């Protein structure tokens, strides 16, 4: 796609953008009387204006009905998790009975591990990406130890090559990315490849560990580099060696179209407060493939909300799980955070994930173009996110030189909300629901 570094060009793209009015449905923090340039939707999404009335409605429901609110009113609390099911299923490409909203992300990760990491003396290894989000690293470590294994032996991390293989393997749709890569100096190419995992390396690691592998777990999109992994290929490789495949979609849900059922994932988890705009600490979603959801004998940790709803309130002994992902629930829903999550999901449904992705490709492409423009001949930073648009979502991570923190502070002082990761990475996420092309042009002006 052709881009220009002018305000007029950015305005044109905004005018052509069918989704531009969604920006008006969000509340922007202010900086010196103007909306900030918000590029942090990968960390905490902005507040939809519809969240406040949704929360007030639940306070009213409580005021009016007290405990009867579980059974009365427009959205009786008793079934609240179900009000989120259809939309969550569409978002991750699942059948409705394969998803449930419950708990928080790391909690759900552990609950899934209870069912899908049951190591034996022979098959006990976990293959995962090096540099996974710390909570996932800690969860895996503690699970491995809990089962009496040594993380140093049981956890196999796939890391990027020190030197990139040549020619670098291409994925479909890589033409644009390859052309851009070609423009860089050899040094740039080396550093870029240093941060990106090659799909072949992932598949080879799984194959190499073979029947020792109990579980392959990957983030959908890596939080640091923004790399979107080839999830169907990873799931297929895991299954070839007889292992389960699980995905942490914290940075993928609401960012890219996903097809968990067709990709044959065994389980997945995600959070709602990043791209899904449910607010701080928002609830998590979980996917359990129907071949497991329909198996009541699959070991799990149980609670009353996962028990067969027909006699949940008979308070009898003997756990009988609900069929599907609902059978993994423990507790009754946290209504306030679920209500905020629902308000956010309604917007996704109205906009449509495919349309959002289409805008996202242009928007992220424009950010990449602007960053390259302002960096031309200066080499103040390197983009470590894949250049291939198909191998990333709406995040660009830049690895800065020794003045990176100063650059980040300068941006903050000028009304840019971005994200700083030690030791020297700035993450920028242009979110198609509420970011504009003008936002990106303005960022570029500050970087000149
Ligand atoms: C954001 C994020 C988390 C955070 O976990 P919580 O339990 O919601 O605090 C965990 N894992 C990944 C990959 C994340 O991106």
């Amino acid at each position: 796609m052709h881009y220009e570094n002018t305000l007029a060009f950015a305005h044109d793209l905004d005018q052509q953008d069918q989704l531009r009015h969604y920006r008006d449905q969000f509340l922007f923090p202010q900086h010196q009387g103007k909306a900030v340039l918000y590029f942090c939707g990968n960390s905490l999404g902005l507040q939809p204006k519809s969240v406040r009335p949704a929360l007030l409605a639940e306070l009213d429901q409580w005021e009016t009905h007290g405990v009867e609110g579980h059974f009365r009113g427009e959205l009786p609390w008793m079934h609240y998790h179900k009000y989120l099911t259809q939309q969550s299923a569409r978002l991750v490409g699942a059948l409705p009975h394969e998803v449930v909203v419950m708990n928080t992300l790391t909690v759900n990760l552990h609950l899934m591990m209870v069912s899908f990491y049951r190591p034996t003396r022979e098959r006990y290894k976990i293959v995962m990406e090096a540099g996974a989000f710390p909570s996932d690293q800690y969860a895996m470590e503690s699970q491995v130890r809990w089962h009496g294994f040594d993380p140093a032996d049981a956890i196999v991390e796939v890391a990027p090559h020190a030197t990139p293989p040549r020619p670098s393997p291409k994925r479909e749709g890589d033409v644009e990315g390859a052309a851009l890569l070609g423009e860089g100096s050899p040094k740039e190419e080396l550093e870029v490849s240093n941060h990106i995992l090659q799909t072949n390396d992932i598949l080879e690691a799984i194959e190499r560990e073979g029947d020792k592998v109990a579980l392959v777990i990957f983030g959908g999109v890596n939080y640091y580099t923004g790399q979107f992994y080839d999830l169907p290929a990873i799931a297929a490789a895991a299954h070839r060696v007889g292992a389960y495949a699980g995905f942490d979609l914290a940075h993928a849900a609401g960012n890219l179209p996903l097809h968990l059922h067709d990709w044959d994932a065994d389980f997945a988890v995600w959070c709602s407060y990043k791209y899904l705009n449910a607010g701080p600490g928002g609830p998590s979603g979980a996917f359990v493939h129907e071949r497991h959801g329909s198996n009541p004998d699959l070991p799990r940790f149980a609670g009353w909300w996962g028990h067969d709803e027909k006699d949940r309130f008979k308070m009898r002994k003997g756990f009988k799980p609900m069929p599907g992902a609902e059978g993994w629930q423990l507790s009754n829903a946290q209504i306030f955070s679920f209500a905020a999550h629902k308000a956010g999901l309604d917007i996704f449904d109205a906009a449509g994930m495919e349309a959002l992705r289409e805008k996202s490709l242009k928007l992220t492409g424009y950010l990449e173009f602007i960053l390259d423009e302002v960096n031309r001949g200066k080499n103040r930073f390197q983009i470590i996110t894949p250049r291939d648009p198909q191998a990333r979502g709406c995040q660009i991570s830049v690895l800065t030189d020794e003045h990176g923190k100063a650059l980040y502070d300068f941006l903050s002082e000028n009304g840019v909300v971005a994200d700083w990761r030690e030791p020297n990475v700035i993450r920028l996420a242009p979110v198609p629901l509420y970011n504009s092309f003008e936002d990106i042009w303005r960022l570029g002006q500050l970087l000149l």
Side-chain angles (χ1 to χ4, degrees):
M1 180 155 171
H2 161 80
Y3 291 119
E4 287 172 25
N5 186 11
T6 65
L7 180 58
F9 183 82
H11 270 168
D12 267 0
L13 287 183
D14 282 329
Q15 283 313 308
Q16 292 160 26
D17 171 17
Q18 304 283 322
L19 301 175
R20 68 179 181 280
H21 53 279
Y22 282 98
R23 180 180 174 93
D24 303 331
Q25 297 190 23
F26 289 86
L27 295 162
F28 284 75
Q30 302 290 302
H31 174 81
Q32 295 174 352
K34 281 192 0 218
V36 295
L37 297 176
Y38 198 79
F39 292 110
C40 228
N42 55 345
S43 206
L44 183 75
L46 287 179
Q47 182 185 146
K49 290 178 180 167
S50 53
V51 162
R52 186 180 298 260
L55 293 180
L56 289 174
E58 294 311 326
L59 286 171
D60 287 344
Q61 163 97 344
W62 187 15
E63 178 180 334
T64 307
H65 300 296
V67 68
E68 295 297 332
H70 284 98
F71 309 104
R72 290 195 196 149
E74 208 177 313
L75 301 170
W77 298 327
M78 159 91 174
H79 304 293
Y80 213 99
H81 63 275
K82 293 187 198 289
Y83 312 143
L84 299 150
T85 296
Q86 297 284 345
Q87 290 162 317
S88 301
R90 277 195 283 280
L91 203 66
V92 298
L95 300 170
H97 61 269
E98 291 176 318
V99 302
V100 67
V101 174
M102 59 182 185
N103 312 310
T104 49
L105 174 54
T106 309
V107 171
N108 284 343
L109 193 51
H110 278 295
L111 290 180
M112 291 295 119
M113 298 294 282
V114 169
S115 296
F116 296 101
Y117 182 60
R118 288 175 288 123
T120 62
R121 198 179 282 278
E122 294 77 33
R123 189 186 279 282
Y124 61 95
K125 291 199 178 186
I126 297 175
V127 178
M128 66 189 293
E129 80 229 62
F133 192 89
S135 200
D136 300 42
Q137 294 184 35
Y138 306 151
M140 296 305 126
E141 260 179 52
S142 62
Q143 285 282 340
V144 162
R145 287 215 173 86
W146 164 250
H147 286 285
F149 294 91
D150 173 8
D153 172 38
I155 296 181
V156 179
E157 290 190 344
V158 189
H161 274 291
T163 27
R166 281 168 202 281
S168 57
K170 278 195 201 123
R171 292 160 58 125
E172 244 177 284
D174 196 25
V175 189
E176 219 175 316
L180 279 166
L181 247 185
E183 277 178 29
S185 65
K187 176 170 171 276
E188 253 171 359
E189 235 182 284
L190 180 77
E191 298 218 4
V192 167
S193 300
N194 270 348
H195 291 84
I196 297 172
L197 275 184
Q198 306 295 331
T199 301
N200 280 343
D201 290 346
I202 301 172
L203 306 187
E204 274 167 29
I206 295 168
E207 210 165 291
R208 188 177 62 241
E209 300 295 338
D211 55 13
K212 290 201 190 75
V213 185
L215 173 67
V216 177
I217 185 152
F218 266 76
V221 171
N222 182 275
Y223 81 101
Y224 191 72
T225 64
Q227 179 176 10
F228 177 43
Y229 298 116
D230 190 340
L231 303 185
I234 293 171
H239 294 156
R240 274 199 298 277
V241 298
Y244 287 129
F247 300 123
D248 185 333
L249 305 174
H251 284 265
N255 181 1
L256 297 141
L258 302 166
H259 305 281
L260 291 180
H261 178 86
D262 291 344
W263 293 345
D264 212 23
D266 293 289
F267 72 88
V269 290
W270 57 95
C271 61
S272 59
Y273 49 84
K274 291 171 180 163
Y275 293 110
L276 299 178
N277 312 311
S284 165
F287 163 93
V288 180
H289 196 283
E290 66 176 346
R291 66 176 163 272
H292 306 302
S294 60
N295 175 9
D297 300 325
L298 192 63
R300 69 192 77 189
F301 284 173
W304 71 324
W305 230 250
H307 185 78
D308 183 6
E309 65 185 353
K310 288 197 297 298
D311 53 29
R312 185 177 297 152
F313 294 99
K314 293 191 180 141
M315 310 304 213
R316 290 208 194 104
K317 262 179 94 69
F319 175 69
K320 188 173 155 228
M322 291 282 294
E326 286 189 18
W328 271 262
Q329 293 172 105
L330 299 179
S331 302
N332 69 100
Q334 308 99 288
I335 299 300
F336 298 112
S337 58
F338 275 48
H341 185 18
K342 183 173 182 310
L345 284 176
D346 287 343
I347 301 175
F348 267 89
D349 243 17
M353 198 60 232
E354 297 293 336
L356 286 166
R357 173 61 170 164
E358 203 180 307
K359 174 175 174 184
S360 177
L361 286 166
K362 286 190 198 138
L363 203 59
T364 305
Y366 193 47
L367 176 60
E368 178 182 45
F369 166 81
I370 292 287
L371 289 171
D372 284 338
E373 280 288 298
V374 301
N375 200 35
R376 194 179 295 282
K378 296 190 184 142
N379 257 345
R380 288 182 297 168
F381 50 76
Q382 318 254 342
I383 291 178
I384 60 169
T385 303
R387 294 290 189 159
D388 173 3
Q390 305 304 319
R392 68 186 184 207
C394 67
Q395 171 183 323
I396 302 261
S397 303
V398 297
L399 179 70
T400 64
D401 61 16
E402 69 275 20
H403 307 299
K405 192 64 185 7
L407 176 65
Y408 173 79
D409 291 341
F410 169 79
L411 291 175
S412 301
E413 284 154 21
N414 286 279
V416 176
V417 181
D419 174 88
W420 175 257
R421 289 289 122 171
E422 294 295 340
N424 56 350
V425 164
I426 298 175
R427 299 186 305 167
L428 297 157
V431 171
L433 265 179
Y434 49 72
N435 279 117
S436 65
F437 291 90
E438 183 180 335
D439 284 347
I440 291 167
W441 179 81
R442 292 199 179 284
L443 172 72
Q445 293 301 294
L446 289 171
L447 288 171
L448 280 176

